[in-house]
Amino acid sequence: MTKTEGSSWEEHASNTDENTQPFQYGTDNDDESQLPHHLQPQPHVEVETILRRTETIMCLFAAVVVKFSLVGIFLVINEWNNVQWTRKLANFLGIALWGLYVVTYLVFHHKQRQRQQETSNLERTLAFLRNSSWLTLIISILTGTILALGSISSCGKGWSFYFFFYHIIGFVGAIASLMMWFALPTIIRSHLVGDRDQLASSRHFRRKRKWVAALTVLATLVLPWTTMWLVLYGYSRGNVDESLFPDSSTSPYLLPFQKGVHVFVAQGNSGAFSHSAGFAYDFMMACGTTVAASRGGTVNLVIDSYNGNYMSGQSRNNIISISHHDNDTTARYLHVQQGSALVQEGDEVVQGQPIARVGNVGYSTGPHLHFEVSKFAFFRQSSTPIAFQDVARDQGIPRAFRIYTSGNVEY
C-alpha cells in the first residue's frame, strides 16, 4: 500500500468517525425506531398491569363472598328445620349475587383474549370495570344491609358472624366500586405514556367533578350504613327515667343468664320497636343459650310448643312465667326455644337455676330473650320498672346497644 493510498484510507476513517455518532439515550434527537423492538417503550404495559390486577382482586373478592356464603349453608344443614328462611335466603343470595359478578368477569376476560388491538382492549377493560362498578355497588349495598339483617334475624350457627361478615364486606365492596368509577381513570391517566390524547378522549378517562364524587359517596356509601344503624338504635334505645327505677344495690333481680355470660341489649325500656307500652328488656343471644331464673319463685306458666316467628307468619309466643312470693310480681321469659323448658308448672325454682333456652319464636325478629316483670294492680297485670344488682353501671338499668356480664348465682 502506497503512502497516498494509506493517507486516503486514514482520511476516510477519520471522516467516518467524525460523522458517525453512537446513539445516546435521553437526547432531544432520540429516534426510538432505531431501537430493537424488545427495547422500544411499551406505552400501555403499566396501564394493562393495573387493570389486570384490579380485575383479579375484584374477582377474588367476589369468590371469597361466594365461598363463605356456601359454608354458611353447610353450617346449618343439621338444624335446617329450626333455621328461619331469612338466614337461608341471605346465604343463597350471597352465592347468587356475587357469583353473578364472577361469571360476568370470566365471560368478559374470555372475550378479551380473543381481541388483539392493544389500545382498544385497554379501553374496553376500563369500560368494563367502570360499568361493572355499578353492579358491584348495588350488590354491596344489598349485602351490607339486607343480607346482614337476614343473617341476624335467624337461629343457626354463625348467625352473628354472618351479620358482621356481610355488613363489613358490603361496605368494603361499596368503597371498591366507587374507587373503580372515580379513582381508577385518574390513576391510569397518570401512567399513560403513549397515545395519551387518543385514550383520554374516551369518556371513561375523563375526570369527574369533585362535587359529583362527594354526592355519590354520600348517597351510596354513607347513607345506607348510617341510616341502618340510626334506625336500629333510634327504635331500640327508648327513654329511661331513672327516678322510676329502684336502687340496683338492693334489687333482688340478676341478669337472666348463667354467671359470666356476656349479654347484648338489643332493646331497652320504652323502646319504640315493641316496648313503647311498658318496661322490658330484649337480650340478644344465640339460640340455645341457657336461660337462668333472674329471681326465685314458683313456675305458674310453661308454654314451649310453638315454633316459627313473626318473619314466618307465626306470632304465638313460648313463655316461662315465674311468680315471686314477696310482692306479687311475676317475671316472664318470652320467645324460648321449642321444647326447651326445663321446669314444669308448680315447680319451685331458685335464683340462677336453668329454666329454658333462648329461641326465636313468636313475635320475634331475631334470636333473643324478652324479659319483663309485671305486677297485678287495678285488676290487670302491668309491667314494672326493675334494676339488676349485677349491672354495675348505668344505675343497674341495662341500656340498648350495650354489653353487660351476668353475675347470676351459680347453680
Side-chain angles (χ1 to χ4, degrees):
M1 180 181 294
T2 64
K3 183 176 181 180
T4 303
E5 292 175 343
S7 298
S8 178
W9 177 82
E10 290 175 357
E11 183 180 352
H12 174 73
S14 175
N15 292 336
T16 302
D17 293 339
E18 291 177 357
N19 296 329
T20 304
Q21 297 294 332
F23 182 85
Q24 296 183 12
Y25 301 96
T27 63
D28 294 336
N29 297 322
D30 287 352
D31 185 359
E32 293 174 349
S33 63
Q34 297 179 26
L35 290 171
H37 177 73
H38 69 282
L39 294 179
Q40 291 182 17
Q42 303 297 318
H44 303 298
V45 170
E46 291 185 359
V47 174
E48 196 174 79
T49 301
I50 293 172
L51 294 177
R52 188 184 301 114
R53 287 179 179 176
T54 303
E55 286 181 311
T56 303
I57 290 172
M58 290 306 301
C59 186
L60 290 175
F61 179 84
V64 168
V65 182
V66 171
K67 178 180 178 180
F68 273 89
S69 299
L70 188 61
V71 170
I73 293 176
F74 282 103
L75 282 176
V76 296
I77 285 181
N78 292 334
E79 48 182 338
W80 191 258
N81 292 332
N82 294 323
V83 176
Q84 282 70 40
W85 65 269
T86 54
R87 165 65 183 277
K88 301 172 185 176
L89 180 63
N91 287 148
F92 279 121
L93 280 179
I95 296 172
L97 293 176
W98 290 100
L100 173 64
Y101 185 90
V102 174
V103 172
T104 303
Y105 162 79
L106 293 176
V107 170
F108 173 80
H109 193 64
H110 174 71
K111 291 183 177 179
Q112 277 293 84
R113 288 187 174 183
Q114 300 175 356
R115 298 188 176 104
Q116 300 299 326
Q117 297 178 357
E118 182 181 12
T119 301
S120 178
N121 278 347
L122 290 178
E123 192 169 349
R124 287 194 188 98
T125 303
L126 180 60
F128 167 75
L129 287 173
R130 297 192 74 223
N131 291 333
S132 65
S133 68
W134 292 106
L135 174 64
T136 308
L137 181 61
I138 294 172
I139 294 175
S140 297
I141 293 175
L142 291 175
T143 300
T145 55
I146 305 302
L147 270 63
L149 292 174
S151 298
I152 206 170
S153 64
S154 170
C155 293
K157 293 180 180 178
W159 66 286
S160 59
F161 168 81
Y162 278 95
F163 168 76
F164 288 106
F165 174 74
Y166 284 135
H167 195 58
I168 295 173
I169 280 292
F171 190 75
V172 173
I175 292 176
S177 64
L178 293 177
M179 289 185 65
M180 283 192 293
W181 181 256
F182 291 108
L184 191 59
T186 302
I187 295 173
I188 291 177
R189 285 174 65 94
S190 67
H191 285 80
L192 288 175
V193 293
D195 294 334
R196 189 185 188 95
D197 295 335
Q198 179 182 352
L199 288 174
S201 64
S202 169
R203 65 185 180 88
H204 295 290
F205 287 87
R206 296 171 188 168
R207 294 186 178 91
K208 299 298 180 182
R209 295 182 179 181
K210 292 182 179 180
W211 67 269
V212 174
L215 287 179
T216 304
V217 170
L218 177 65
T220 61
L221 187 62
V222 177
L223 288 181
W225 278 263
T226 303
T227 301
M228 171 181 162
W229 282 105
L230 287 177
V231 169
L232 289 176
Y233 181 70
Y235 273 85
S236 301
R237 64 183 299 271
N239 296 314
V240 177
D241 184 356
E242 297 174 0
S243 64
L244 299 177
F245 291 78
D247 184 5
S248 62
S249 62
T250 58
S251 173
Y253 297 97
L254 299 174
L255 289 172
F257 298 97
Q258 293 179 312
K259 186 174 182 178
V261 172
H262 300 294
V263 181
F264 177 77
V265 182
Q267 185 178 193
N269 286 278
S270 304
F273 187 73
S274 60
H275 294 173
S276 58
F279 302 94
Y281 300 95
D282 282 346
F283 299 109
M284 181 172 285
M285 303 292 292
C287 291
T289 302
T290 299
V291 177
S294 178
R295 182 180 178 186
T298 304
V299 179
N300 59 25
L301 180 63
V302 174
I303 300 176
D304 70 342
S305 58
Y306 297 118
N307 197 17
N309 66 356
Y310 178 77
M311 303 294 289
S312 59
Q314 197 289 110
S315 58
R316 294 184 178 181
N317 289 316
N318 288 337
I319 180 174
I320 304 293
S321 179
I322 300 176
S323 61
H324 310 130
H325 303 304
D326 56 351
N327 58 0
D328 296 325
T329 58
T330 300
R332 303 201 304 165
Y333 307 76
L334 279 74
H335 312 306
V336 298
Q337 205 168 45
Q338 182 184 38
S340 70
L342 303 175
V343 293
Q344 297 178 351
E345 294 181 12
D347 287 353
E348 293 289 331
V349 299
V350 297
Q351 194 171 51
Q353 179 178 340
I355 58 174
R357 299 189 183 281
V358 173
N360 185 20
V361 178
Y363 192 72
S364 171
T365 55
H368 75 285
L369 174 73
H370 175 100
F371 178 81
E372 67 179 39
V373 174
S374 60
K375 189 173 183 177
F376 188 78
F378 301 105
F379 305 101
R380 67 185 183 89
Q381 290 281 350
S382 59
S383 60
T384 184
I386 64 165
F388 293 91
Q389 189 178 130
D390 54 343
V391 174
R393 54 196 175 102
D394 300 324
Q395 290 74 45
I397 308 168
R399 310 301 171 92
F401 279 53
R402 295 186 184 178
I403 298 176
Y404 302 91
T405 303
S406 174
N408 210 328
V409 179
E410 293 187 12
Y411 181 80

